[in-house]
Amino acid sequence: MAIDLKLIQELRAHTGLGLMDCRKALEETKGDLDAAIELLRKKGASVAAKRSDKQTSEGIVATYIHPGDRIGVLIELNCETDFVARTEDLKKLANDLCLHIAALKPLYLSPEQVDPKFLEHEQGIFKEQMAGSGKPEKIVNQIIEGKVQKLMSEICLLNQTFVKNDQMTVDEAIKAVIAKTGESIKVRRFARFEIGA
């Protein structure tokens, strides 16, 4: 089946992956763009899972200063080799993540790093909001769990919707670059600075 170049380019714009990867995915899915996106996301997750235990002792530190010099971001991205650390793919990812952090103000890297006292406080507020709702306890607990998951998608970098592509999370955007480079890539840490905040 011949795949239209415009479709390949559209898939590439969605995923940021190379033309050959996009062509293969479209061929496998018989030209179905949504199915191809899903296929590439699964492949990215699969590659990331296989590489997750690899040591990431190389990498880069990237910076971003917002026009007006009132917001700044520092991020450390780690990878397996200095070769990948010097690639445009990793530099672009680091820059995109800096822009994302400047815009969406994540407080933590992942849910595992959320301060337990902060989480306990927020859960207390959610419970108070549900008090007197008349709903069964099981339903109340499910609603609170849903609110906690939504909170994590707002305050944790890896869980946030990626600012440059609202069809994926930051974690999925990183996995797409992992699939492209074939190396494990991890955000080690980040800091966001804002005057007066």
Side-chain angles (χ1 to χ4, degrees):
M1 171 182 190
I3 302 296
D4 183 28
L5 184 58
K6 284 183 183 175
L7 195 58
I8 295 170
Q9 289 171 334
E10 189 178 345
L11 180 58
R12 187 171 190 212
H14 270 287
T15 62
L17 294 174
L19 287 174
M20 290 307 296
D21 291 327
C22 292
R23 178 187 299 276
K24 285 178 190 170
L26 285 165
E27 285 170 354
E28 277 186 52
T29 59
K30 296 180 177 47
D32 184 331
L33 184 66
D34 292 333
I37 291 170
E38 189 64 27
L39 176 69
L40 288 170
R41 286 172 73 185
K42 285 177 183 170
K43 281 185 178 178
S46 171
V47 170
K50 287 177 188 168
R51 309 249 7 134
S52 66
D53 60 340
K54 297 289 183 188
Q55 186 175 0
T56 52
S57 56
E58 294 294 332
I60 59 172
V61 173
T63 62
Y64 169 75
I65 304 297
H66 192 68
D69 299 333
R70 298 187 61 82
I71 298 172
V73 175
L74 267 172
I75 190 168
E76 179 182 346
L77 276 183
N78 294 141
C79 57
E80 296 172 43
T81 65
D82 64 341
F83 173 77
V84 168
R86 291 191 307 263
T87 63
E88 284 305 310
D89 290 327
L90 195 70
K91 289 175 186 171
K92 183 179 183 311
L93 176 65
N95 185 58
D96 289 348
L97 291 177
C98 282
L99 293 171
H100 176 97
I101 292 164
L104 293 183
K105 308 176 186 179
L107 301 175
Y108 301 96
L109 177 60
S110 66
E112 296 77 34
Q113 293 184 348
V114 173
D115 180 357
K117 287 181 181 172
F118 170 81
L119 186 56
E120 194 176 301
H121 173 74
E122 293 300 311
Q123 286 173 321
I125 291 171
F126 298 152
K127 284 177 185 168
E128 284 180 34
Q129 290 171 347
M130 296 306 298
S133 67
K135 292 182 170 40
E137 187 179 343
K138 183 179 178 186
I139 300 297
V140 168
N141 289 339
Q142 288 174 343
I143 291 170
I144 290 170
E145 182 58 32
K147 286 177 178 264
V148 167
Q149 293 305 318
K150 185 175 187 307
L151 177 67
M152 293 302 153
S153 73
E154 293 169 355
I155 65 170
C156 296
L157 175 64
L158 297 178
N159 294 50
Q160 289 180 328
T161 300
F162 191 36
V163 77
K164 293 196 92 174
N165 182 345
D166 64 4
Q167 300 300 308
M168 59 174 56
T169 64
V170 169
D171 189 48
E172 290 168 337
I174 294 169
K175 285 176 180 170
V177 178
I178 290 171
K180 200 171 181 182
T181 63
E183 278 197 17
S184 182
I185 297 169
K186 294 178 181 164
V187 177
R188 180 153 186 269
R189 56 189 161 177
F190 68 90
R192 183 184 185 278
F193 304 91
E194 183 170 1
I195 298 293

